[in-house]
Amino acid sequence: MKRRSMRRRVGVIMGGSSSELSAGHAVAEALSARGHEVVRVSLGESYGPDLASVVQKARIDVAFLALSGRLGEDGCVQGMLELLRIPYTGSSVLASALAMDKLKAKEMFRLHNVPTPPYYTVAVDADLSDLEGQHGSFGYPAIVKPRGEGSSQGVSRVTNLAELRAALEQAFEYDDIALVERFVTGVEINVAILDGQVLGSVEVATPKAMLEGPNAELVKVVLSPQRERGVQNLAERAARALGCTGAVRVDLLVTAGENEYVLEVNTLPALAPDGLLARAAAAKGYDFGALCEAVLDSAKLNQPARRKPPVDAIATAGFRQATAPVAMMKSVG
């Protein structure tokens, strides 16, 4: 377990659903109780263009991200914090964007030999007059997902052509590209990782709930120790394939046929006192406050500052470059 970090002025930036806001407030209370000066930046359901101004005025030393969905998880807020030179929790701009983009994440998984369910994509402007032929022998049931949304937004399970059409229309309300993924029968396992080390894994007892909301029941994994280690190793490989850092949750399916598939990687898992990360960390000796501080200690900037030439030198070089062709033309003339 890491030692207690020095006292800092921490901005807990939170937004999304009521449960996600509740988790953000829990983090703020835990860090405050451990002696940090905490500023709560609540963004509600949307992140306005004045966010950078709000964060600057808060004069924080570090940002603890308790966000979800577009703009929060996809690298946009992370990019803003890089420009403001404020260290933040979670993954880099690139890793956040890759993990949020289900298509690119799957492409990276395949590149790194990380098994993931078969899929194909459908664009919003595609000709769906022969959808049955396009779907072909892919089979049912299938899962339809927007390309760039969170775990449950716009996700549908379909069992026939009519449901597939309706699910695509629903997915297109969130994104211009939908993924149609083969349904894999198995047990859903969530693996919690912190700073590249597995904290633990739990089983989602009611996978259907993941399509309806964030309140799926979590129970202790019932796998042999050897297979659980294999699942956790696969989760680590998936996180590394995307370049994820800090606190990470990897969602996988484990089948009766001894196969495992990675569904997705969440770069900003909700940090609730009764959530997956807290349960897994408790088994490693962390209470909730210590876990929040460990996540805080992982905060960093992922784009290092580079030494740059003085502004007047850049301006002079640009002036010389711009005027050189003119001088050449005069000499030729």
Side-chain angles (χ1 to χ4, degrees):
M1 185 184 300
K2 291 184 177 180
R3 61 180 176 80
R4 179 174 295 193
S5 60
M6 64 179 182
R7 184 176 185 273
R8 287 182 280 182
R9 184 172 170 85
V10 182
V12 178
I13 304 178
M14 62 188 87
S17 68
S18 58
S19 63
E20 287 151 352
L21 288 172
S22 176
H25 287 300
V27 169
E29 291 170 7
L31 292 176
S32 180
R34 294 179 70 86
H36 296 287
E37 184 180 2
V38 177
V39 179
R40 305 183 193 208
V41 182
S42 181
L43 306 179
E45 294 293 336
S46 62
Y47 313 146
D50 59 343
L51 174 59
S53 176
V54 171
V55 172
Q56 283 183 301
K57 289 178 181 178
R59 303 181 67 83
I60 60 177
D61 300 318
V62 60
F64 194 114
L65 300 185
L67 300 168
S68 66
R70 288 184 184 272
L71 303 180
E73 289 183 74
D74 62 4
C76 291
V77 171
Q78 291 82 351
M80 177 202 72
L81 292 168
E82 290 283 353
L83 292 174
L84 296 178
R85 308 309 293 165
I86 298 174
Y88 55 92
T89 60
S91 296
S92 68
V93 175
L94 176 60
S96 299
L98 286 173
M100 191 68 175
D101 187 323
K102 292 180 172 64
L103 175 58
K104 290 301 176 185
K106 279 181 170 288
E107 290 175 352
M108 293 300 291
F109 293 155
R110 295 176 68 180
L111 180 65
H112 289 268
N113 296 316
V114 173
T116 188
Y119 66 96
Y120 67 90
T121 61
V122 181
V124 66
D125 57 355
D127 180 6
L128 300 182
S129 60
D130 187 29
L131 181 59
E132 184 174 15
Q134 293 176 42
H135 190 74
S137 60
F138 199 77
Y140 296 101
I143 302 295
V144 179
K145 306 175 179 181
R147 172 177 176 172
E149 271 295 343
S151 298
S152 59
Q153 295 290 328
V155 179
S156 304
R157 180 177 181 272
V158 301
T159 59
N160 55 53
L161 183 62
E163 291 178 357
L164 175 59
R165 288 186 183 278
L168 288 172
E169 291 301 322
Q170 178 179 325
F172 292 147
E173 294 177 7
Y174 296 89
D175 201 289
D176 288 345
I177 296 179
L179 266 72
V180 181
E181 187 177 75
R182 180 163 295 156
F183 180 81
V184 176
T185 301
V187 175
E188 183 170 335
I189 303 293
N190 293 171
V191 177
I193 299 174
L194 178 62
D195 292 337
Q197 301 297 316
V198 171
L199 292 177
S201 48
V202 297
E203 177 184 332
V204 180
T206 50
K208 181 184 175 185
M210 298 303 290
L211 302 182
E212 300 172 350
N215 300 316
E217 181 185 356
L218 303 177
V219 298
K220 183 176 175 58
V221 172
V222 184
L223 295 174
S224 69
Q226 180 178 0
R227 191 166 190 200
E228 185 173 8
R229 285 194 298 271
V231 169
Q232 292 176 350
N233 177 263
L234 179 57
E236 288 180 298
R237 287 171 51 205
R240 285 199 304 269
L242 301 181
C244 298
T245 55
V248 178
R249 188 192 78 226
V250 183
D251 301 342
L252 309 94
L253 283 173
V254 177
T255 74
E258 300 295 312
N259 293 316
E260 291 93 29
Y261 299 91
V262 172
L263 294 176
E264 63 180 339
V265 177
N266 189 320
T267 57
L268 288 179
L271 199 56
D274 60 347
L276 164 63
L277 282 173
R279 294 188 192 190
K284 295 288 187 180
Y286 292 83
D287 61 25
F288 184 67
L291 172 61
C292 291
E293 190 143 42
V295 174
L296 179 65
D297 284 344
S298 70
K300 63 180 181 179
L301 288 167
N302 294 277
Q303 296 298 324
R306 304 294 188 189
R307 292 189 63 183
K308 299 178 181 179
V311 175
D312 56 348
I314 296 175
T316 302
F319 174 77
R320 288 173 179 167
Q321 182 178 6
T323 56
V326 176
M328 184 182 298
M329 290 176 65
K330 287 182 177 179
S331 65
V332 171

